[in-house]
């Protein structure tokens, strides 16, 4: 009888259970070599030649991400932006792509520059419902649909299976920025996506000490080979030590995400009733427009990210952000420490973010400490 497959939480905690064959060590050595020996007959039969294309320290983190995402292969990158850019660089020049209006702002801005230069033709649409996407895709012309769910910083939810059907009918690929969902809560490939992307800087690493990114594919096809070539061609490679740290962080992914989800749900529910809070944006609240889809496509929780709109506008929001003590007033997300920021200050002009919005990344501290600090800061 075949053994029952191990739960992903077990795979993550044990980093797939890999053991160093030479020493029996339960943690693999960090490979720092930049070059590898040729065979006597001039071949590279062991599969590695030069460190920009081949790094043995990537094997285990990539295999673990592949297992957690249920994919065919993964690539780690120097950053989430590098991972995302590799997807777009793997398209033919001038390709038409459709992306969300509400998405990670730096990627939205970068896509705008790609459109200005003619490298891509980009349409930004509302991805909360699929009508705008259906209208924007052009069969035979659109090469890629990019979505982010939940999407920064309104936590807009996009129906991955629905978006995949629309993309595929038009002959396009679907790539999903799944950073906020993590593989603990959503597996985009199982819902029909072709590529799952992470800013591994966030939950995958989880300790605010590594910048990294990842892509996972459902198929090792020609497009994937172009992404592989884009990484080494652009030199967008992760350092060996960072790959090791990323793997170490991923070992605690499940308990970190589970706790963050639980605390975020409590904080969201509590703040809903707060007189200084105009609105709480969290997919775990029935009042969130994407709640029903999130409940279908997210398993085990709605993530550790939420936003609040503070009564009194921008000045009141910034003043509240200045008063937190337990929360750290800093950008980024997905670390063990809770972070809070006034989002419009980061995104600048042209952002779809309301000026009174504070973005909250819930860490793994005691939730009552987090709630008490927020209530004091809100006044
Ligand atoms: C959802 C999302 N995607 C992509 C990125 C870019 O990742 P990185 O900062 O690792 O380049 C970020 C970073 O904040 C993000 O939040």
């Amino acid at each position: 009888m075949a053994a029952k497959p191990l739960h992903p939480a077990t795979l993550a905690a044990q980093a797939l259970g890999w053991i160093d064959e030479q020493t029996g060590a339960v943690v693999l050595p960090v490979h720092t070599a930049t070059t590898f020996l040729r065979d006597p007959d001039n071949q590279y039969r062991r599969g590695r030649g030069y460190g920009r294309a081949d790094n043995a320290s990537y094997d285990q983190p990539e295999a673990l991400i592949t297992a957690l995402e249920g994919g065919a292969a993964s690539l780690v990158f120097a950053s989430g932006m590098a991972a995302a850019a590799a997807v777009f660089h793997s398209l033919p020049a001038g390709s038409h792509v459709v992306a969300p209006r509400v998405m990670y702002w730096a990627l939205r801005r970068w896509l705008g520059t790609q459109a200005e230069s003619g490298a891509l033709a980009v349409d930004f649409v509302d991805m909360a419902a699929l009508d705008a996407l259906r209208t924007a895709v052009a069969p035979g012309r659109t090469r890629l649909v990019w979505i982010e769910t939940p999407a920064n910083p309104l936590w807009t939810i996009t129906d991955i299976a629905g978006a995949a059907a629309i993309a595929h009918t038009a002959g396009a690929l679907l790539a999903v920025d799944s950073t906020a969902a993590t593989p603990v809560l959503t597996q985009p490939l199982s819902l029909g996506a072709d590529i799952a992307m992470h800013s591994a800087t966030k939950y995958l690493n989880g300790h605010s000490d590594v910048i990294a990114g990842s892509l996972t594919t459902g198929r090792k096809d020609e497009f994937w080979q172009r992404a592989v070539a884009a990484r080494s061609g652009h030199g967008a490679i992760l350092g060996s030590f960072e790959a090791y740290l990323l793997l170490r962080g991923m070992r605690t992914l499940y308990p970190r995400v589970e706790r963050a989800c639980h605390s975020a749900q409590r904080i969201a529910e509590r703040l809903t009733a707060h007189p200084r809070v105009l609105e709480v944006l969290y997919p775990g609240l029935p009042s969130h427009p994407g709640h029903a889809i999130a409940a279908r496509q997210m398993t085990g929780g709605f993530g550790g990210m939420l936003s609040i709109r503070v009564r009194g506008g921008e000045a009141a929001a910034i003043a509240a952000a200045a008063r937190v003590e337990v929360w750290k007033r800093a950008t980024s997300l997905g670390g063990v420490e809770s972070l809070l920021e006034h989002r419009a200050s980061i995104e600048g002009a042209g952002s779809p973010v309301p000026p009174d919005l504070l973005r909250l990344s819930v860490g793994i501290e005691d939730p009552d400490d987090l709630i008490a600090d927020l209530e004091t800061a809100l006044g």
Side-chain angles (χ1 to χ4, degrees), residues 54-291:
D54 314 308
N55 186 330
S57 289
Y58 295 174
D59 293 359
Q60 201 178 6
E62 288 181 348
L64 180 56
I65 296 170
T66 302
L68 300 184
E69 287 289 359
S74 297
L75 289 167
V76 291
F77 286 82
S79 66
M81 282 298 286
V87 172
F88 294 102
H89 286 315
S90 300
L91 298 169
S95 287
H96 179 237
V97 305
V98 185
R101 229 176 241 136
V102 175
M103 67 183 292
Y104 174 57
W105 74 285
L107 185 54
R108 182 176 63 234
R109 193 179 56 176
W110 181 79
L111 283 172
T113 64
Q114 297 300 293
E116 274 163 33
S117 72
L120 294 171
V122 189
D123 275 318
F124 292 100
V125 304
D126 175 8
M127 294 280 188
L130 295 175
D131 300 344
L133 175 61
R134 220 172 267 121
T135 308
V137 293
R141 175 172 171 253
T142 307
R143 298 294 186 121
L144 183 91
V145 174
W146 182 274
I147 62 173
E148 178 182 328
T149 183
N152 259 292
L154 308 180
W155 313 113
T156 309
I157 299 291
T158 300
D159 175 351
I160 299 173
I166 294 170
H168 294 161
T169 304
L173 298 172
L174 177 72
V176 181
D177 182 339
S178 197
T179 299
T182 82
V184 179
L185 307 175
T186 308
Q187 289 164 326
L189 303 179
S190 73
L191 296 168
D194 302 286
I195 301 279
M197 172 261 162
H198 290 277
S199 167
T201 313
K202 317 301 183 199
Y203 289 98
L204 292 186
N205 179 64
H207 293 76
S208 306
D209 55 5
V210 171
I211 302 270
S214 72
L215 296 178
T216 303
T217 182
R219 294 174 310 278
K220 290 205 237 176
D221 55 10
E222 200 200 325
F223 183 80
W224 183 249
Q225 292 319 319
R226 285 204 292 273
V228 172
R231 181 178 69 179
S232 78
H234 291 109
I237 53 169
L238 193 61
S240 296
F241 188 64
E242 284 71 16
Y244 157 75
L245 280 177
L246 171 59
L247 182 73
R248 189 168 76 160
M250 284 195 289
R251 284 176 174 253
T252 55
L253 177 68
Y254 278 73
R256 284 188 287 103
V257 170
E258 283 159 13
R259 185 169 169 92
C261 284
H262 191 252
S263 297
Q265 184 77 39
R266 266 192 63 194
I267 293 168
E269 284 167 9
R270 183 70 173 252
L271 292 183
T272 301
H274 196 285
R276 300 293 307 276
V277 174
L278 187 66
E279 190 181 10
V280 179
L281 299 165
Y282 183 61
L285 294 177
S287 58
H288 190 280
H291 178 69

